Amino acid sequence: MTENILLVAAVSVDALLASFAYGADNIKIPFLSAAVISAAGTAVLMLSMLLSGAADAVIPSGAGRWLGFIILMCIGTVSLFQNALKTFLRNKSRKNLSFSISGVGFVVSVFLDETKADTDKSKTLSPRESLTLAIAPSADSLGSGFGAGLAGADILPVCIMSFGAGLAAVAAGAKAGAVTGKKRPGISWISGILLIILAVMNLIK
């Protein structure tokens, strides 16, 4: 159960931070849009864990846990330095990159500044727009879920907890951002720490 909680907490951090930016910019996230964000992350998490189950069936006995450890450690390490990566990419984008709503560039721009998902500038995130915002947390869920699945995480409890935690993270983040007025606290490293702890726990249990 502890491992399941760590996984869910880790993949919920990005949703918390993204909604924090929306609250700070006075952009509302209706319940349906929050549900779409949470459901998208949960669906990707479920898919990745199902894929890990299929992969585990063909991986030599005992190798799955080590592979899960490596994947979680890699994703956790990247998460530790996510703020530095975003700062670097923002500086590059100002100089060399242009973004198009119809291409990959738009996804990158939302990764760098979550509020760009509000494409119509309505100050309310529609369910359709929330799908774009869900991409970054879903990317983390994809790798983390696959690694945790190989390490033996329980898919049903994780997915149920993930949906509830995602809703709570969006609501809490939006409220905190509105109250503090800060764009985004630099706490994405928390996700990295949780994933690294999860990797070690699953290896030694």
Side-chain angles (χ1 to χ4, degrees), residues 66-81:
W66 275 101
L67 181 57
F69 168 79
I70 292 170
I71 291 174
L72 289 171
M73 285 293 291
C74 289
I75 296 174
T77 301
V78 170
S79 295
L80 284 177
F81 301 100

Side-chain angles (χ1 to χ4, degrees), residues 52-139:
S52 72
D56 196 39
V58 298
I59 293 174
S61 179
R65 181 167 294 183
W66 275 101
L67 181 57
F69 168 79
I70 292 170
I71 291 174
L72 289 171
M73 285 293 291
C74 289
I75 296 174
T77 301
V78 170
S79 295
L80 284 177
F81 301 100
Q82 188 179 111
N83 285 332
L85 174 62
K86 285 192 173 185
T87 299
F88 173 78
L89 291 176
R90 287 189 192 106
N91 292 335
K92 283 289 185 181
S93 69
R94 293 190 189 104
K95 298 176 182 178
N96 302 319
L97 299 178
S98 60
F99 298 109
S100 168
I101 192 170
S102 61
V104 175
F106 179 66
V107 175
V108 176
S109 70
V110 173
F111 171 72
L112 298 179
D113 180 1
E114 294 86 352
T115 60
K116 289 186 180 296
D118 181 28
T119 54
D120 60 6
K121 310 298 182 183
S122 64
K123 291 295 184 178
T124 298
L125 191 70
S126 70
R128 181 173 176 272
E129 290 169 335
S130 67
L131 280 175
T132 305
L133 181 61
I135 289 176
S138 295

Side-chain angles (χ1 to χ4, degrees), residues 6 25 120 160:
L6 284 174
D25 210 31
D120 60 6
I160 293 173

Side-chain angles (χ1 to χ4, degrees), residues 9-10 13 16 79-80 186-197:
V13 169
L16 175 72
S79 295
L80 284 177
I187 59 172
S188 59
W189 54 268
I190 292 176
S191 176
I193 292 293
L194 293 175
L195 289 174
I196 290 171
I197 293 173

